[in-house]
Amino acid sequence: MGLENKIYHLINQKKSIFLVGESDSGKTYFVLKELIPFLKSKRLASTYFSDCDHIKVVPKTGVVIIDEVETFQDKEFLEKIRATEKSYYSKRYIQKVNRWFKKLKRVKVPSIYIITRNSKNEIEHFQKTVKTADWNKRVVEVVVFPRRITRR
């Protein structure tokens, strides 16, 4: 089963998804150029937000796709492996993400949350440990995005 079909199947079951992959792996390209047209061909309306700051009106039907989402569930792990860095999560960034969580809480339809983690190890840890969304505690399926060569 292709990635588009896997995601479509989960969305049809009313499940939300964390689509997690490395930076510059082609997640956004895949969503915009492959997944959204695929969902449209299946007659499933989708609304895309480039990041949480752009969430304004939340649709009541279809699927919502939000890029550049963050979670704190693996925060301790990330800070531990980056212990030499000054602060992996600055106070300002934490405040910003908490504002995002308030916006994300308004989304009631099945959603695809695009998450970036910077290494295979970080992605594997995410996949093993993250099971719910920070903002509403609902169960979320983790789908790992394979690294691709993007066509721009």
Side-chain angles (χ1 to χ4, degrees), residues 19-31 114-116 145:
L19 182 62
V20 61
E22 292 182 40
S23 183
D24 296 322
S25 61
K27 298 180 300 296
T28 301
Y29 180 90
F30 164 76
V31 165
I114 303 171
I115 303 265
T116 298
F145 185 81

Side-chain angles (χ1 to χ4, degrees), residues 4-5 8 34-45:
E4 297 95 335
N5 277 309
Y8 176 70
E34 297 176 35
L35 182 61
I36 290 174
F38 177 82
L39 296 175
K40 186 176 181 180
S41 78
K42 298 288 189 180
R43 301 180 194 271
L44 181 59

